[in-house]
Structure formats: C-alpha cells, structure tokens
Amino acid sequence: MGLKNKLKTLRLKAEKVEDPGLEDLETEEENKERWQSIYIIYFTMFLISLGFSIIITGVWPYLDKLDPTAGKEFMGYVVAANPFAQMLFSPLVGWWSNKLGTIRLPMLTSLALFTVASAMYSSLELFSGYRKYWMLWTRFLIGVSSANIAACRSYVSAATKFSERTKAVSMISLAQVLGFIIGPALQAAVVFLGDEGVWLFPNKLKLDMYTASGWINVFLSVVNFCLFLPYFFKEHKIAGKEAMMKQGAKNEKETWLKPDYLSAWTLIGAFFVLVFNFMLLETLGTSLTMDQFAWNKSEAMYYMGILMSIGGILAIICFAMINPLCRWFPENKVMIWGGFLFMLLGRAVYIPWGDGYPVMYDDSNRLMNCENSSLNVINATEFYDYTLNITESACDESILVGCPSSQEWCLYTRVMTLFQFLFGYLLTCLGYPIGVTLIQTIFSKILGPRPQGVWMGLLTGSGCLSRVMGPVFVTHIYTIYGTNWTFGFTALMMLVSMIWLIYFTDRLLPKEIVREEEEGTELNEVNSFVQIPLTAKTDA
C-alpha cells in the first residue's frame, strides 16, 4: 500500500507539472474517491454486458426445453428484447440523472430491477403456461435496467480530466468486451449441473445449467447495488472545472464547442456495424454449432463456453496491445486495419467451404414423434436418394442433433468446417476489442471538452439498435436462407463500412481547441478547430 500511495503522489505531481494551475481542482483524497467511483462504473459496465451475454449460449436450449414449439425465430426476439428495452429507456434514465444532478438513485433503482428480473429468468419453470412469453418479458426488464449504461458513460466523461479520458473510455470498452465474452464462459462453468440439475425447493424450483446463469446475475447485481451506497460511491465531476480553468471561462457552457458532426456520426455508424457483426456470432454461436457439427445442447454450451473464455483472454491481450500500437501508428489507422479488417475477414471466412452437407433430423412432427418414440434422422447426402434412417429413443435429446428439416437450405448448402469456425472466431476476437475500444476513444476526443452525455447516449443507442436488429434479422436470414446469405451479407456490410472509414480517415483525428487571445474576443465565440495529425509531415 505504501508503494501504491507513493506512485499515486508522483502521478499527481506529474499532472501538476504537465498542467500548471490544475492543482486546485481536487485534493488527493478527492482524487482517490473520484477514481474509486470510476472503478465502480467499470464493474457496472461489466455486469451490464455480462447480464446480456451470460444467457446467450444457453437461451436457445433453455427456451427449447421450456417450450419446444417456440423456434429459433422467437429466440431472436428473446435476445433482442434486452437491447430494445435499453434503447427505449436510455434517454429517460439519462434525463432522470440530469434532472437529479446525480446518478446514484437511477443506478440503485436500475440494479434492483436487474436483480428481480434475473431471478425471474431463473424461475420460469414455476410458470405453468406461456413460458416463452415470460422469458421474453424477463429479458425486456433486464434491458430496462441496463438503460443505465448511458448514465455510466456520461459520468465517466464528467469525472475524468482530458488527459485521463482515453484511458477511462478504453477501460469502459474493455469492461464491456470482457462482460460479453466472460458471460458464456460462466455459462459453460455450470454445465456440470446438467439438464436435470438439483432442487432448490423440492418439486418447485430447480438449479440447472440453464438457470444458474440467472442466479449468478442476481449475486453480482446485489454486490453492485451495495457499491453504489454513499459509503463506497462518492460523485466527483471534474471535467467542467478543468475546462473552465484552462480557458478562463466563467461557466461550463462557455467551454462548449461545436463538434465535427460528420466524424461523430461516422463513428456512431461504425459502432453500429461492429456491434451488429459481433452480435451475429453471440446470437448464432450455439445454434450454428449444433446445426453444422451435430453437437447436442450440452456439448454446444460447453464448447462455446470454453471458446469464448479463450476469446476473453485474447481480448485482454488485444487491449494491452492498443496503447503500444497507437504510439507507433495513428489511432484511426489501428481502428481500421486492426479492427475492421479482422472483423471483415472473420465474416468472410464463415462462408462454408466444407465437403458434403450437414447431418439433419426430421422435426416436422417433433412432439408427435417424441410421444410415439419414433424419429427420422436425415443425412442430406442420403436425402437425394430418398432414404431415411429410422432411429429409436426419439425422446433422447442426444438424438436431436444436426440441422432440422425445417431449415431446407441444409439440404443443398455445404457444411462449415470446424477449422474455419475456429479461425473466424479468432479473427473476431482480435478485431472486435480493437475496433470497439478505439471507436469510443476517438469519439470522445473528437467531441472535445463539452459534456458528452447526449452524444454518448447516441453512441449507446447505436449499439442497442444493432443488438435489436442483429438477432432478429440474422436469425430470420439464417433460418430461412442459411449460412451463405448470412455471412455473405454481413461480410459485405463490413466491407462497405471499412471503405467509408478509409475515405474519411483524415477526419477521424483528435481536435485541439485554439483559443484566440485578441482583446475583446469573447470566449464563447471560439468555434475553430485544428486537426492534429498523429504522424508528422514536413513540407519540401
């Protein structure tokens, strides 16, 4: 602890030398409390992402268990319910926070709702009917509670100095990425509970490999709720005071400057595309492997969990590489060639090139077949010879493997190889953390020293919209048209976005405010920006 305090003191002294006059902004105790509050925001962002992703690999088999008639298209609605609610309620939570002048009460309220909704998700077997709609409702409520994400971003923007903002925004991005990736790993960790699980309350409430994820959310959200109590979370907003001191302004509004709208909206669109493509893999991962590799539910959840936990490690490595890369290359170049290019290749690699066709089973009369203990299992290569393999033990879920016959594209679309699936996932794990981190970092810098709550809300809404449209749109395209159309379309989407970013690459640079010193010039009329190239150029 002594060494840690000495390092913190040295850092504060370095800031005072680098920014003379800023030593009056806060005391060392206030600095400690300010960063403690920011760390709590990091954990909250992690939990919000975890609450969404932890059910992704298990939601399809869980839904299929609760209601075998639901179908994969309804699963898309269940996955999309969370971001849809988040998109609707984020402006309201943001307005509420602004009205109160504090985020404490909105955060406590949203976390309490998150706890209740997560408990409901894990208790769906208590409902005698309409279970798929109850699942949809619980995911919607979790989305409502997740609307606090814009308030979190806004607070970090207000609670950091300009020199600290890149690090803080990057850490928010890392917290989200880890939440998205670690969630499925936690789901995989409870697969040992199995489909039958253990009784929490005999013949009423069960803990199994599907419901355990909800109870993990409950535990973590209770911890997060406690962290927002006054003893731990103390709000300190310093960005406005810093801008006023640097510019000699009388109030914060005088420091607000007009942002580059083209650059800002370009990055908002890029964020939409990147999250949309990541959600493709999160949404389809389990059902895709079950269809393509004939894995049963437990195998798909277990292997996808392991794969995504490895992805979490890769994300941490990528995050550690971002700062060194950005010292050698401009941030916008790293974002395009390190983030978007890898994501583009990851989508293109998923277009199937394997020999033969997926194993299939006849699901036309699944419930009737199960009751009659007979089930048709079809291999696409045999289907054209009009031969059917009749198997026994139809009610054994391990028999229901491969592509269902209702997905007719499985009959004529080549199977995906395991190698290309793993290789595409590797490219995604490398590209997504780099891209999503640098989009948020550059976005924050381009906005300049103005309050960023509204703009961060727009960026958050962009991500929510992609998470709404992604699961519904992709599950429809995948279910009806198959892998060629799904991954061909998303690869084209990434290509168009990358071309747009390359064309406007010079606009995606941080701005520095140039203050006019002429006598009589009002500070609130300073509206000029100068682009600062990150690579030096020398005129001949």
Side-chain angles (χ1 to χ4, degrees):
M1 291 298 294
L3 179 60
K4 183 178 179 180
N5 290 331
K6 288 181 180 179
L7 291 174
K8 184 179 294 184
T9 302
L10 289 173
R11 177 173 61 81
L12 290 173
K13 289 181 179 179
E15 287 180 358
K16 293 176 184 179
V17 173
E18 185 177 339
D19 299 310
L22 296 185
E23 63 270 15
D24 296 330
L25 287 176
E26 64 181 355
T27 64
E28 291 191 20
E29 181 63 25
E30 289 172 337
N31 178 272
K32 178 181 178 181
E33 292 176 350
R34 179 168 64 87
W35 275 102
Q36 180 173 295
S37 70
I38 294 173
Y39 295 148
I40 293 173
I41 293 294
Y42 293 161
F43 180 74
T44 304
M45 298 293 285
F46 170 80
L47 177 62
I48 292 170
S49 299
L50 185 77
F52 175 77
S53 67
I54 196 171
I55 62 98
I56 289 295
T57 57
V59 64
W60 166 240
Y62 187 31
L63 175 64
D64 194 47
K65 175 186 177 183
L66 294 171
D67 188 347
T69 66
K72 290 178 182 173
E73 292 186 8
F74 192 84
M75 179 199 70
Y77 294 116
V78 171
V79 174
N82 180 307
F84 179 69
Q86 185 180 358
M87 181 179 65
L88 290 179
F89 284 85
S90 288
L92 295 177
V93 174
W95 173 84
W96 188 21
S97 300
N98 290 337
K99 189 74 173 177
L100 296 175
T102 175
I103 68 169
R104 189 191 310 282
L105 182 58
M107 296 304 298
L108 290 174
T109 304
S110 61
L111 287 170
L113 180 60
F114 185 93
T115 304
V116 173
S118 297
M120 288 177 61
Y121 176 84
S122 293
S123 307
L124 291 175
E125 288 185 308
L126 295 176
F127 299 94
S128 58
Y130 304 103
R131 288 176 172 177
K132 67 178 183 180
Y133 297 108
W134 280 111
M135 177 181 283
L136 183 68
W137 177 241
T138 61
R139 297 307 299 168
F140 183 85
L141 290 178
I142 289 177
V144 173
S145 67
S146 301
N148 57 24
I149 191 171
C152 289
R153 291 183 187 277
S154 177
Y155 177 75
V156 169
S157 175
T160 52
K161 300 175 186 177
F162 184 80
S163 60
E164 300 168 338
R165 200 156 300 148
T166 298
K167 173 186 174 183
V169 173
S170 298
M171 288 300 295
I172 280 182
S173 176
L174 177 63
Q176 286 187 286
V177 170
L178 291 179
F180 278 126
I181 296 176
I182 292 176
L186 291 177
Q187 173 69 85
V190 297
V191 168
F192 73 92
L193 292 170
D195 185 76
E196 295 301 322
V198 295
W199 289 108
L200 294 177
F201 298 100
N203 300 319
K204 289 186 178 181
L205 191 60
K206 185 184 295 183
L207 177 69
D208 57 33
M209 63 181 182
Y210 308 126
T211 61
S213 59
W215 295 121
I216 292 174
N217 279 339
V218 169
F219 172 76
L220 293 177
S221 59
V222 170
V223 173
N224 202 358
F225 183 93
C226 295
L227 290 176
F228 272 97
L229 296 176
Y231 180 79
F232 299 103
F233 187 81
K234 296 178 173 62
E235 295 187 56
H236 291 280
K237 299 179 180 179
I238 199 172
K241 293 193 293 182
E242 179 192 32
M244 289 171 58
M245 181 172 291
K246 281 186 173 182
Q247 299 184 32
K250 296 179 180 178
N251 56 63
E252 290 186 25
K253 195 169 184 179
E254 289 183 355
T255 67
W256 299 358
L257 300 171
K258 185 178 180 179
D260 185 336
Y261 291 116
L262 176 62
S263 300
W265 283 107
T266 293
L267 289 171
I268 289 174
F271 191 71
F272 169 86
V273 172
L274 206 64
V275 177
F276 183 96
N277 277 266
F278 183 74
M279 282 311 306
L280 163 71
L281 192 57
E282 285 268 310
T283 305
L284 286 180
T286 303
S287 55
L288 177 67
T289 55
M290 291 173 67
D291 291 346
Q292 297 294 311
F293 310 132
W295 290 349
N296 61 36
K297 294 176 182 178
S298 297
E299 289 173 334
M301 290 173 61
Y302 179 72
Y303 292 132
M304 282 300 297
I306 292 177
L307 190 61
M308 290 186 174
S309 63
I310 295 173
I313 297 174
L314 291 175
I316 295 174
I317 295 173
C318 286
F319 178 79
M321 292 173 58
I322 289 175
N323 284 337
L325 285 173
C326 291
R327 281 197 290 265
W328 288 92
F329 307 99
E331 289 178 340
N332 53 352
K333 302 291 186 181
V334 177
M335 177 187 70
I336 294 171
W337 301 108
F340 275 77
L341 179 60
F342 282 174
M343 286 290 288
L344 168 62
L345 295 176
R347 299 289 73 76
V349 164
Y350 272 176
I351 299 175
W353 64 47
D355 295 328
Y357 304 90
V359 172
M360 298 182 65
Y361 69 89
D362 184 7
D363 69 336
S364 57
N365 293 299
R366 179 177 170 185
L367 293 179
M368 184 181 300
N369 286 335
C370 189
E371 292 173 357
N372 296 331
S373 296
S374 62
L375 179 70
N376 293 329
V377 178
I378 310 169
N379 184 290
T381 57
E382 297 174 347
F383 182 85
Y384 294 110
D385 295 329
Y386 300 99
T387 60
L388 297 177
N389 292 328
I390 308 299
T391 66
E392 299 178 354
S393 303
C395 292
D396 183 358
E397 289 294 319
S398 64
I399 299 299
L400 302 176
V401 294
C403 263
S405 60
S406 58
Q407 295 179 178
E408 296 181 1
W409 55 267
C410 295
L411 297 172
Y412 52 81
T413 303
R414 291 190 175 276
V415 69
M416 179 185 294
T417 67
L418 182 60
F419 170 77
Q420 70 177 123
F421 177 77
L422 295 175
F423 185 54
Y425 186 79
L426 171 65
L427 292 171
T428 301
C429 289
L430 295 176
Y432 181 75
I434 294 174
V436 78
T437 298
L438 289 178
I439 283 177
Q440 294 176 80
T441 301
I442 296 172
F443 186 72
S444 179
K445 288 183 176 181
I446 282 177
L447 294 178
R450 63 182 292 120
Q452 299 179 6
V454 174
W455 283 101
M456 286 299 177
L458 291 173
L459 188 70
T460 300
S462 171
C464 293
L465 182 61
S466 66
R467 289 163 57 200
V468 171
M469 295 179 60
V472 175
F473 178 78
V474 170
T475 49
H476 275 76
I477 295 297
Y478 175 78
T479 302
I480 298 173
Y481 299 106
T483 48
N484 286 338
W485 277 92
T486 299
F487 298 111
F489 176 82
T490 50
L492 179 62
M493 177 189 291
M494 288 299 308
L495 178 63
V496 172
S497 301
M498 187 172 173
I499 292 173
W500 180 274
L501 289 172
I502 292 172
Y503 185 78
F504 290 105
T505 185
D506 291 336
R507 301 286 291 269
L508 306 178
L509 294 170
K511 306 294 189 297
E512 182 181 13
I513 304 167
V514 178
R515 180 183 175 187
E516 298 181 11
E517 298 293 345
E518 297 180 8
E519 186 176 356
T521 301
E522 296 293 337
L523 288 173
N524 59 354
E525 293 178 354
V526 180
N527 292 314
S528 59
F529 288 82
V530 176
Q531 292 189 351
I532 307 298
L534 299 183
T535 54
K537 294 183 180 179
T538 304
D539 295 331

